[in-house]
Amino acid sequence: MLDLHDVYPTSGGRCKLRLVTAFADGVVGVSNYVLAQAAQRTPKRKCVRPMQATGRRRTAAAQFTVGIIGRVAEDKCVDQVFVLSRLTDQSIRYEIRGGPDSTSLKYYQNLQDKANMPEFANVSFVGPVDRDRLYDGISVLVLLNATEPSGRVVAEAQMVGCPPVVPDNGGAPEYVVNGETGFVYRTGDLGSLAALIDHLNADGIDERIERQCLEASRQTYDARYCVEYYAKAVTS
C-alpha cells in the first residue's frame, strides 16, 4: 500500500510513479488530483489528512484584506499578488504571511523589494506568524498555486472561519464548495480572480459562508473520523 501526498512535476517522475504503483496492492492519497498520477488499474482511495484546530476563530479585518499564506517560493506563484494589486480596488490590502525555504531566498528578497515600491503600497510582507494568529485580520485566503496536492492552508483557513479562494485545478477545489465553503476561480485567469475579490470587497463576506467553513472543517478534518477512514483504506 502506497501513501501519496505530493505531485510529481516532471514527466520522468510521473513515469516512475506509475511504474511503482502498478505493482502496489493499493494507493491512498490526499486528493483525486494526486491519485490520478498512479497507475490506472491500481485501486485508489482518497483519504483526508486530519488537522488540529487552533480552538479559536480569527479576529475580524479592519479593512478588506487578502491573505497569501504559507511558504513563499516560486512554485507557490506568490508574485501574482502584484498583478492582482494592479487589477483590484486600491483600498484592498494584500498581506503575504510566511517565509522562504533555503532555495527561495532570492525570490523572497525580490518580492520584498517589489512590495516596497510606491505603486504597491497595498502589498505588505508580514513574514512568519504564529499558527494561532495566522489568519487574524484576514478577510479571505487566496491560493495562487494551481498544482497544490490539497492545500493545507485551505483546511487551516476553513477551521477558523476564513473563506478560501482557490483555483479550479489541483487538489484544493476538492475541499471547497463554491459559494458555500469558499470560492473557486478559473485557473490562470487573474482577471476573473480580481473581479471576484472586488465583488467580495464591495459586498462583504456573508457570515453564512464563514459558518459553513467552520462546520465543513469539523466534518472533514476531524482526527477521529480521518484516522478511522485511513485505517479502513489501508487494510481493506
Side-chain angles (χ1 to χ4, degrees):
M1 179 69 67
L2 293 180
D3 187 337
L4 292 181
H5 53 85
D6 207 350
V7 174
Y8 290 78
T10 67
S11 57
R14 291 191 294 271
C15 183
K16 290 178 182 177
L17 182 60
R18 284 194 297 271
L19 180 61
V20 170
T21 55
F23 294 94
D25 294 324
V27 180
V28 295
V30 293
S31 65
N32 293 321
Y33 175 68
V34 166
L35 289 171
Q37 302 173 106
Q40 186 174 0
R41 295 185 179 181
T42 303
K44 307 171 189 68
R45 185 170 292 183
K46 176 179 170 180
C47 287
V48 178
R49 297 297 185 267
M51 297 284 292
Q52 183 177 2
T54 62
R56 57 185 292 275
R57 292 189 66 171
R58 75 195 194 288
T59 57
Q63 69 180 98
F64 193 87
T65 302
V66 174
I68 311 296
I69 294 174
R71 180 170 58 87
V72 179
E74 192 167 0
D75 65 296
K76 300 297 184 181
C77 306
V78 179
D79 52 288
Q80 292 180 359
V81 71
F82 297 104
V83 179
L84 293 173
S85 171
R86 286 196 176 108
L87 293 175
T88 54
D89 190 281
Q90 290 301 297
S91 67
I92 297 171
R93 288 190 53 78
Y94 293 87
E95 289 197 1
I96 301 171
R97 300 184 178 186
D101 57 28
S102 59
T103 65
S104 305
L105 296 174
K106 184 176 180 181
Y107 177 80
Y108 185 81
Q109 185 60 58
N110 288 340
L111 295 187
Q112 279 189 313
D113 293 343
K114 197 168 185 177
N116 288 329
M117 297 170 64
E119 63 184 297
F120 298 118
N122 62 337
V123 178
S124 62
F125 272 78
V126 178
V129 177
D130 289 342
R131 181 173 178 267
D132 63 346
R133 302 284 178 185
L134 195 54
Y135 296 88
D136 281 357
I138 297 296
S139 305
V140 293
L141 164 78
V142 168
L143 190 71
L144 295 168
N145 177 21
T147 60
E148 287 286 349
S150 63
R152 182 182 179 90
V153 291
V154 172
E156 291 177 342
Q158 290 174 328
M159 293 178 82
V160 293
C162 179
V165 181
V166 305
D168 61 4
N169 191 66
E174 297 180 30
Y175 293 91
V176 175
V177 178
N178 190 33
E180 296 184 18
T181 59
F183 304 92
V184 180
Y185 68 92
R186 192 162 54 249
T187 298
D189 188 348
L190 293 183
S192 67
L193 173 57
L196 173 60
I197 292 171
D198 274 333
H199 170 72
L200 295 175
N201 174 46
D203 291 1
I205 304 295
D206 191 334
E207 289 186 3
R208 173 186 59 86
I209 294 178
E210 296 180 342
R211 289 195 303 270
Q212 288 176 170
C213 282
L214 288 166
E215 292 169 5
S217 68
R218 283 193 287 265
Q219 295 172 10
T220 304
Y221 308 113
D222 181 85
R224 291 167 297 180
Y225 166 79
C226 292
V227 170
E228 180 181 350
Y229 189 82
Y230 186 85
K232 290 181 179 178
V234 299
T235 56
S236 61

